[in-house]
Amino acid sequence: MKNITLTNTCDCGANNSKELFGLANDERESINSIKESPVDLAEVLFISSYPPRECGIATYSQDLIKVLNLKFSNSFSFKVCAMESNGNTYPYPDEVKFVLKTSVAAAYKQLALKINKEKNIKIVLVQHEFGFFHVQEQAFVEFLNLLAKPVIIVFHTVLPNPNEKFKLNVQQIAEACESIIVMTNTSAEILMRDYDVPQQKINMIAHGTHLVPRLSKPTLKLKYKLKGRKVLTTFGLLSSGKSIETTIEALPAIVKKCPEALFLVIGKTHPEVVKTDGEAYREMLEQRVAQLEMRDHVRFINKYVDLPELLEYLQLTDIYLFTTNDPNQAVSGTFVYAMSCGCPIISTPIPHAKELITKDTGFIFDFRNSEQLAAAVLQLLNNDTLRRNIGINTLQKIASTAWENSAISHAKLFSKILGIKNTLRYNLPAINLNHLKDMTTVTGIIQFSVINRPDIRSGYTLDDNARALVATCMNFALSGDKKNITSIKKYLGFIKYCQESEGDLLNYVDKGLNFTVQNEEVNLDDSNGRAIWALGYLFSIKKLLPEKIIVDATAIIEKSLRHMETIHSTRAMAFAIKGLYHYHLSSESAESLLLIKTFADRLVGMYEHESAKNWEWYESYLTYANSILPEALLYAWLLTGETIYKDIALRSFSFLLSHIYNENGIEVISNKHWLQKGEKAGKFGEQPIDVAYTIMTLSQFYDVFHDEDYRLKMETAFNWFLGENRLHQIIYNPCTGGCYDGLEEFNINLNQGAESTVSYLLARLTIEKYKH
């Protein structure tokens, strides 16, 4: 192409030749955004626009750095060199240690020399937009070549069909850096096809998105005085490139068939537009709204909206509209933010939209085509089911782009560049019971959720309430918070409700508290075993609990013991041994000790029958909750001193670990294909519950044998929840406190039901005592 127009989404222009390079104040030299980092941490310096500068890339960098610090502040230190233009300067936060005046040629060399002298700086990451450097293109390239540190360039814009001069500029930038990040596959293809950039230098890391709690849409509409309205939304710094008029021209046709429609235009006018044109564009839009008599159907929110408020507006939105008129805009942070809030999307065909939007997630329409836009809007507004399904699909489509996952991808790239393998140190999230509480009613914990919203239609299970009782007891022992006692009573009460007159327990209860036919269709031994585990574990914190709770638990467990000997299910016996171990330590019941020996001997018999060379296990397959079998024999040895229990526990646990740990970390047995003796393990379908049980077993083995390998494997297993897994995506959701239901072949199951959420909490509470 002969002429290239650079389109900026940021206030990137600079033309004041008197601007000078300057360092920020001395405090910025040593203070990290969260805490002062140890001097031996590798420092990553971000060169970017940065808040309080109002600019999309500034916000992007701050969001990324915030999550990098939350997840990896024990692995790296993150600092910022803030870019400034047009004589502007800002009161920056502490993580900003340098300031670069982008229009001053001499400033680049001075910055390069300063960076080279700083031993702690190991990587320089540049957030690149052509408008940042258009005044000093050559000085920027020379700056990159002067740096003695590895450089990562993040191209926010990649233009196709460049002329020779533009192509050469991009090639010089690419040659000067160690690695390149782009945010779409289209951008990667353009770099390879039009700029001859080698594929191995390019990394695709999608634009990050925020996890949101999925608040009630009616509640939010009431809060923002939008009750009864069908809300269409767009947001961002306002400029003519947004083509807001495309929607305004479509409104009469939309309102004619959907009178409750309202168009929200969120965002102040772009600062660079204000400098040159004032508010002319906004005033033109307002005038056109008046001409079309649409004032009751358009609301301008003329301010830079803070993130929490913005995310609430997006969560109440029925359809998000992205109407840019620039076909070369590579990426939009606005519509991916909207997707992360479950909004159906209607967009013009920029590359980013064409990659993400399908018939299942929204509609694409031609640039400036108001008629097409109106038709797409009406198709969604007039079909609540379609709109709701598309909203859920957008959540699934965009889930992998959460900022937490972006941080993982960046951290792994940093490690790769520095030649560090498998040494990322994930920060422990705070213990968060919010989703556990949300899932719990006056009866007990609900079985399933739709995304993070409890689905009362799924009813309750003994299994989930037993696990919830263990987790709550663990949390009470750890925190001493007496609020846990209420929850303990509730989960214990549910177990009591499930107990029949003969002492056995039913598992499935519907929302009306009726026992369902499932109780007659499946074997309930495992459920009964889990209940004994929970009841027994409660006795391990007996001294902390009110006497009434202990009396009730004693009555339930003593009644259950009447029929326990009839249980022969492998895992039911193992769960029972775990519970009876704690109960026996508290009560010294001869009956419980006899049952422990009976069940342990049965497990030994199963092991001796099935084990063979290369198969040291109790069954001819590995299925679910495998680790509790060797753990149960370990408990039996601790009580009885029978050496055979210990020996088989050690051998079988070693065998299990050899099948679920590999060079990538932990990959538990697939719930889609059990591992049969003599066959290869199935892939995909990894469940949080199996990772949690493995962690709990590793904890017990480590406490008994003090083998450091057990502790390291425990840490590796817990990191699975935080993103150290096959997909490099978070399984634990720090926004809700919930845990996703599984790791599938290409995606995460976004539902956050009771089993997965409680399993994560069991793992998190177990790992707490080793965090130092």
Side-chain angles (χ1 to χ4, degrees), residues 41-43 114-122 149:
L41 287 182
E43 182 177 309
K114 182 68 178 177
I115 291 171
N116 288 341
K117 287 180 181 177
E118 293 247 356
K119 292 182 179 180
N120 280 357
I121 298 176
K122 303 299 183 184
K149 318 277 183 169

Side-chain angles (χ1 to χ4, degrees), residues 305-318:
V305 177
D306 290 337
L307 180 64
E309 183 180 358
L310 172 63
L311 293 178
E312 288 192 342
Y313 272 119
L314 292 176
Q315 287 176 82
L316 66 80
T317 294
D318 293 290

Side-chain angles (χ1 to χ4, degrees), residues 225-243:
K225 297 179 174 55
L226 293 166
K227 182 181 179 181
R229 307 304 293 262
K230 293 286 181 67
V231 180
L232 317 173
T233 300
T234 193
F235 84 89
L237 294 171
L238 208 61
S239 68
S240 60
K242 299 282 187 183
S243 196

Side-chain angles (χ1 to χ4, degrees), residues 19 28 52-53 83-92 99 101:
E19 290 176 337
R28 293 176 187 158
R53 181 176 177 176
M83 294 188 288
E84 294 182 346
S85 64
N86 288 347
N88 296 320
T89 189
Y90 305 92
Y92 292 111
V99 173
K101 303 292 187 180

